[in-house]
């Protein structure tokens, strides 16, 4: 006989594991299953930077980050590079550089034992007479009274029941063994010739991660092109990558791209489009939306009142992310970006600064 759960959560990233933890703590009487397809061989591609907003959410949970999750080096600033104008600026940042896979495992370790955790990919989800039938890779089938899409940018739940977040990029990252001081600890790169979004390089445990968001149709070619342009800019060769990873990433462009679901079909985190389109910071919104849905579900008297309450609770977060849409439009406009970078507003002056092989702008006096 197929097992029946009150709630099936698909995806145990920051959104799904936060929801499972908070809901199970509030309501011991709810039968929850948490299904996740991630593995150590195929981790979620991520920069692994824990932004102040995400630190604040953890603080509100009373959680502290085990130092074993931290990666070397810790970062105090981002070097912003505009390859088109060859402008370089340096801005203070307060991220924690961490191991993203270990972070996800740590959040899962906090989920109470009452939640059944299954390591498998959900391959289909369908609704019939108010009951959801889920098929998992490996043949297991389950049923649930409600389903939650916490399964990221390519969410099977969102694809099965709702319109997708319209604008998506393919995010590609490569890991290199080169550990050079020539590259900053963290850089954000704009290059209009290869993408209307941005790229980044991050130093991690003696490696460099270079990654970026590119158009889906020719993403790989544009990634390679931008990598070559960056190598030329910094006067280095990254060499052969030891690892290449890719996944979709949402870039909401209008408030209607945020979709928190409907009665008995809830969306949290990136599946709901809840990610900053200016920086791709998504861990804070994922954890926060997981908590907001847990709060809504734990007191709701009916599926209808649960979704009404969840929608209401998400408004502030959606407003905040709508402002990021405006910020993205400004940052990704070559003219406006150039004006902001030239003005030096909010930038940090570096001592003993040697500009790279650019002869156009030395950003310090
Ligand atoms: C390359 C890249 C770099 C990024 N860097 C940062 C960063 O440095 N800092 C930051 O804050 N944000 C970053 N983000 C954004 C951030 O990773 C996401 O917004 C955040 O992880 C969303 O959390 P989530 O829980 O909603 O989804 P995810 O973290 O994507 O988790 C979804 C989970 O669901 C699982 N899953 C998916 N489909 C299925 C299925 N069918 N069956 C079972 N399981 C499934 C996945 O394996 C995964 O474990 C980055 C994104 C990308 C693509």
């Amino acid at each position: 006989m197929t097992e029946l759960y009150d709630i099936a959560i698909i995806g145990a990233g920051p959104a799904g594991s936060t929801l499972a933890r908070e809901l199970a703590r509030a309501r011991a009487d709810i039968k929850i299953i948490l299904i996740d397809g991630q593995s150590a061989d195929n981790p979620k591609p991520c920069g692994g930077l824990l932004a102040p907003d995400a630190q604040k959410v953890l603080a509100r949970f009373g959680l502290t980050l085990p130092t074993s999750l931290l990666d070397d080096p810790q970062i105090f600033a981002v070097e912003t590079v505009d390859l088109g104008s060859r402008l370089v600026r340096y801005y203070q940042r307060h991220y924690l550089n961490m191991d993203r896979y270990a972070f996800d495992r740590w959040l899962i370790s906090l989920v109470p034992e009452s939640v059944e955790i299954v390591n498998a990919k959900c391959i289909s989800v369908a609704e019939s007479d108010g009951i959801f039938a889920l098929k998992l890779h490996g043949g297991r089938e389950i049923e649930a009274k409600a389903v939650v899409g916490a399964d990221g940018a390519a969410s099977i739940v969102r694809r099965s029941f709702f319109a997708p977040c319209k604008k998506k990029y393919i995010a590609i990252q490569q890991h290199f063994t080169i550990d050079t001081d020539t590259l900053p600890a963290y850089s954000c790169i704009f290059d209009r010739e290869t993408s209307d979004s941005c790229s980044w390089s991050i130093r991690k445990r003696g490696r460099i991660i270079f990654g970026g968001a590119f158009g889906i149709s020719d993403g790989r070619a544009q990634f390679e092109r931008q990598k070559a342009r960056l190598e030329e800019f910094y006067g280095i060769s990254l060499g052969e990558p030891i690892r290449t990873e890719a996944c979709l990433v949402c870039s909401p462009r209008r408030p209607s791209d945020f979709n928190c679901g409907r009665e008995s079909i809830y969306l949290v985190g990136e599946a709901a489009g809840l990610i900053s389109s200016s920086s791709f910071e998504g861990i804070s919104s994922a954890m926060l939306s997981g908590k907001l849905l847990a709060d809504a579900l734990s007191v709701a008297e009916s599926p209808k009142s649960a979704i009404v309450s969840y929608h209401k609770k998400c408004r502030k977060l959606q407003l905040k992310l709508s402002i990021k849409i405006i910020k993205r439009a400004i940052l990704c406009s070559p003219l406006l970006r150039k004006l902001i970078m030239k003005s030096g507003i909010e930038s940090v002056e570096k001592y003993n600064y040697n500009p790279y092989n650019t002869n156009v702008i030395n950003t310090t006096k």
Side-chain angles (χ1 to χ4, degrees):
M1 215 179 80
T2 315
E3 282 160 279
L4 179 67
Y5 293 83
D6 292 309
I7 294 194
I9 304 169
I10 306 176
S17 52
T18 300
L19 168 64
R21 182 187 74 235
E22 295 299 311
L23 186 57
R25 280 186 185 167
R27 289 283 301 271
D29 57 319
I30 294 184
K31 198 175 170 196
I32 306 169
I33 184 166
L34 178 61
I35 302 156
D36 189 70
Q38 193 176 175
S39 68
D41 300 336
N42 189 20
K44 157 93 185 172
C46 186
L49 297 180
L50 195 72
D53 278 348
Q55 296 168 29
K56 194 168 160 187
V57 178
L58 291 175
R60 292 181 72 189
F61 285 128
L63 289 171
T64 51
L65 197 75
T67 51
S68 58
L69 303 187
L70 293 178
D71 263 341
D72 198 42
Q74 288 308 311
I75 293 166
F76 306 127
V78 58
E79 183 166 289
T80 302
V81 178
D82 185 331
L83 283 183
S85 62
R86 295 183 90 80
L87 279 165
V88 178
R89 283 286 185 193
Y90 208 57
Y91 299 92
Q92 189 175 13
R93 287 291 178 270
H94 304 278
Y95 297 123
L96 291 173
N97 192 5
M98 58 161 198
D99 178 337
R100 170 62 201 267
Y101 181 68
F103 179 72
D104 282 7
R105 300 315 302 167
W106 171 65
L107 285 180
I108 291 170
S109 75
L110 303 177
V111 175
E113 279 181 7
S114 60
V115 176
E116 184 180 338
I117 303 178
V118 175
N119 187 218
K121 207 171 160 66
C122 175
I123 50 176
S124 78
V125 48
E127 184 187 12
S128 171
D129 296 330
I131 294 290
F132 297 88
L134 281 73
K135 288 193 181 141
L136 309 190
H137 190 79
R140 184 168 169 195
E141 297 188 10
I142 61 155
E143 288 184 338
K145 293 180 196 163
V147 71
V148 181
D151 44 351
S155 169
I156 191 172
V157 179
R158 184 145 182 182
R159 270 185 285 132
S160 303
F161 300 103
F162 306 98
C165 176
K166 281 207 183 77
K167 183 68 187 173
K168 283 187 190 145
Y169 292 97
I170 177 148
I172 305 176
Q173 290 197 149
Q174 286 188 330
H175 297 227
F176 301 90
T177 46
I178 172 178
D179 186 18
T180 164
D181 286 346
T182 314
L183 279 174
Y186 174 38
S187 69
C188 176
I189 305 126
F190 293 95
D191 180 14
R192 191 72 191 176
E193 285 206 12
T194 51
S195 173
D196 64 356
S197 185
C198 64
S199 301
W200 51 86
S201 77
I202 305 168
R203 281 173 38 199
K204 258 181 205 288
R205 266 172 296 141
R207 290 184 185 180
I208 292 282
I209 297 180
F210 169 62
F214 299 87
I216 290 178
S217 58
D218 59 349
R220 186 60 202 254
Q222 297 303 350
F223 171 83
E224 290 300 335
R225 209 169 137 229
Q226 190 182 111
K227 192 170 67 179
R229 281 164 58 77
L230 194 72
E231 286 177 324
E232 181 269 326
F233 181 80
Y234 281 118
I236 54 149
S237 166
L238 289 167
E240 281 302 306
I242 51 165
R243 176 186 180 89
T244 301
E245 54 199 12
C247 68
L248 292 175
V249 64
C250 293
S251 179
R253 293 296 158 86
R254 53 194 72 75
S256 60
D257 282 337
F258 305 126
N259 185 339
C260 294
R262 63 174 156 85
E263 225 173 290
S264 303
I265 314 173
Y266 310 99
L267 297 170
V268 287
E270 215 179 316
L274 299 170
I275 180 170
S276 160
S277 52
S278 61
S279 65
F280 294 119
E281 193 277 315
I283 295 174
S284 63
S285 304
M287 294 191 296
L288 186 57
S289 57
K291 167 69 174 156
L292 296 177
L293 181 57
D295 287 350
L297 289 171
S298 56
V299 293
E301 279 158 13
S302 68
K304 191 166 176 63
S305 64
I307 192 66
V308 169
S309 158
Y310 179 48
H311 274 280
K312 212 164 148 193
K313 286 175 191 295
C314 280
R315 269 188 216 141
K316 200 167 149 199
L317 175 59
Q318 290 180 0
L319 180 67
K320 189 173 156 189
L321 294 174
S322 298
I323 295 167
K324 303 283 184 185
I325 296 175
I326 300 166
K327 188 175 174 192
R328 191 213 85 91
I330 295 170
L331 287 180
C332 292
S333 149
L335 179 65
L336 294 176
R337 184 170 62 241
K338 193 169 169 183
L339 287 174
I340 293 168
M341 288 181 76
K342 273 201 159 175
S343 76
I345 191 164
E346 295 277 311
S347 71
V348 171
E349 250 181 55
K350 241 179 154 181
Y351 301 123
N352 308 321
Y353 183 64
N354 287 318
Y356 309 107
N357 45 359
T358 162
N359 53 12
V360 181
I361 294 284
N362 178 355
T363 57
T364 58
K365 294 177 192 106

